[in-house]
Amino acid sequence: MYNLKGKTAIVTGSGRRNGIGEAIALKLASEGCNVVITDLGATKGEQFSKEHIGTTDEMEPIVADAKSKGGDAIAVPCDVRYEDQVIHLINKAVEAFGGIDILINNAGVGYIMESFIEFKEESWDAVLDVNLKGAFLCSKHAAIQMIDQGNGGAIINIASQAAKSGFPFAAAYTASKHGMIGLTRSNAVELGQYKIRVNAVCPNHITTGLGHWQNKFFSDKLGLNYEDYLQTIVDKNPLKRTGLVDDIAKAVIFLASDQADYITGEAMNVSGGEEYH
Ligand SMILES: NC(=O)c1ccc[n+]([C@@H]2O[C@H](COP(=O)([O-])OP(=O)(O)OC[C@H]3O[C@@H](n4cnc5c(N)ncnc54)[C@H](O)[C@@H]3O)[C@@H](O)[C@H]2O)c1
């Protein structure tokens, strides 16, 4: 149905077990895609500690899982904040698989949360550099490659509910995700002539990865235990559950495929309809 067999996809931030990126990469592999598993790979100071990032040790088993699902896969460490590393990532994908058809900008930092009036400049820079500049750099160099190949392509930005609403203690995260929607729309308009479609997916409350950390942060702030806080989320969600990494992976597969070949510049909520309550 999706016709993704033999296509090549890069998924940033996919080197962490149980994350959204891993789920997207494995779903693409199960559709027969070649996948490039890429993540930071190694810790970098306090802001990018082992607790929060995907390391090379984790990336290799994810590559093995992707291969067992039916796709081919490689691991390439890349810090998306640096253009030379992004160019290296693109080159490695082309070297291994001959081109790039799909880019998923999933790498994100959501665990740096501070009250706005205490927000540190280095915290702001860390969040914006990964979430927004990283998506810009990866999109730029993937688009150059896709234009050169001449067969179009799909770029999907993993934004957030915070791309459309405000959240306390998360000014940098919220601004970066709003910016991602702007990047999505601008790139959709400019790259459409090359048959490159650019869309965004906006998840909420996935209980793994940085979502778990954010849920814990907000439950502490509200003085609720973690389970009671999650229940308040479930209660106000029309579909009466929190999100799963697979919910996001399924939306991504659709947007990456020909089934979505007249859809570009969209920012699709995958949130159980929470926004409409
Ligand atoms: N979990 C949720 O509820 C939720 C909700 C909305 C949006 N999102 C978005 O989904 C995406 C994935 O989040 P997740 O919940 O799976 O969390 P996660 O922490 O498991 O994934 C984020 C990944 O980004 C990687 N990363 C961080 N800095 C990087 C850098 N400089 N270069 C390359 N990679 C880097 C991390 O190593 C990690 O693997 C993020 O963009 C996040 O903002 C998540």
Side-chain angles (χ1 to χ4, degrees):
M1 177 179 175
Y2 291 120
N3 262 341
L4 290 169
K5 198 168 168 46
K7 303 232 173 188
T8 296
I10 296 177
V11 187
T12 69
S14 58
R16 190 149 184 255
R17 280 294 190 196
N18 305 316
I20 293 172
E22 181 202 33
I24 294 169
L26 296 183
K27 183 74 87 188
L28 286 164
S30 66
E31 293 291 331
C33 279
N34 306 313
V35 286
V36 180
I37 308 293
T38 178
D39 211 305
L40 204 49
T43 56
K44 280 199 184 163
E46 261 177 48
Q47 286 178 324
F48 299 92
S49 63
K50 187 159 183 0
E51 185 192 355
H52 292 298
I53 63 117
T55 58
T56 315
D57 296 354
E58 277 174 288
M59 287 159 73
E60 289 302 339
I62 296 172
V63 165
D65 285 357
K67 287 182 174 172
S68 75
K69 300 258 175 207
D72 201 354
I74 55 167
V76 184
C78 169
D79 188 331
V80 296
R81 296 174 295 169
Y82 300 104
E83 192 159 23
D84 57 339
Q85 295 195 32
V86 170
I87 292 169
H88 174 77
L89 167 68
I90 301 290
N91 289 342
K92 282 283 174 194
V94 173
E95 195 181 299
F97 302 122
I100 303 163
D101 306 292
I102 299 160
L103 167 70
I104 316 296
N105 284 311
N106 169 76
V109 168
Y111 47 81
I112 297 176
M113 297 181 75
E114 293 160 14
S115 110
F116 180 60
I117 55 172
E118 289 165 356
F119 219 99
K120 294 188 273 309
E121 186 180 354
E122 60 266 31
S123 302
W124 179 272
D125 287 344
V127 175
L128 269 289
D129 279 359
V130 177
N131 296 8
L132 191 53
K133 184 180 161 190
F136 150 63
L137 290 174
C138 293
S139 301
K140 174 182 165 183
H141 289 285
I144 291 170
Q145 176 62 30
M146 288 171 181
I147 291 167
D148 190 47
Q149 290 167 202
N151 301 318
I155 298 175
I156 297 158
N157 296 319
I158 307 304
S160 172
Q161 191 174 53
K164 297 179 181 179
S165 344
F167 285 85
F169 307 102
Y173 185 76
T174 306
S176 72
K177 294 296 184 179
H178 274 68
M180 217 178 198
I181 303 290
L183 184 72
T184 302
R185 292 181 178 147
S186 174
N187 287 355
V189 170
E190 194 169 335
L191 299 175
Q193 63 186 305
Y194 305 107
K195 304 278 179 278
I196 299 170
R197 294 181 300 103
V198 187
N199 289 291
V201 171
C202 300
N204 67 339
H205 311 301
I206 312 288
T207 53
T208 58
L210 61 79
H212 167 72
W213 197 93
Q214 288 176 341
N215 289 334
K216 182 149 182 359
F217 178 90
F218 283 119
S219 58
D220 288 349
K221 282 275 172 212
L222 292 168
L224 293 173
N225 76 41
Y226 188 77
E227 294 309 322
D228 289 345
Y229 175 71
L230 283 190
Q231 194 56 50
T232 65
I233 290 172
V234 169
D235 287 345
K236 69 178 182 193
N237 189 300
L239 294 182
K240 300 293 170 222
R241 66 172 175 86
T242 51
L244 305 169
V245 291
D246 217 39
D247 295 322
I248 309 309
K250 286 189 281 193
V252 166
I253 295 290
F254 166 68
L255 288 172
S257 78
D258 292 348
Q259 298 295 317
D261 62 7
Y262 198 51
I263 300 177
T264 195
E266 278 303 315
M268 185 201 273
N269 295 343
V270 181
S271 62
E274 184 184 341
E275 290 79 2
Y276 306 114
H277 198 265

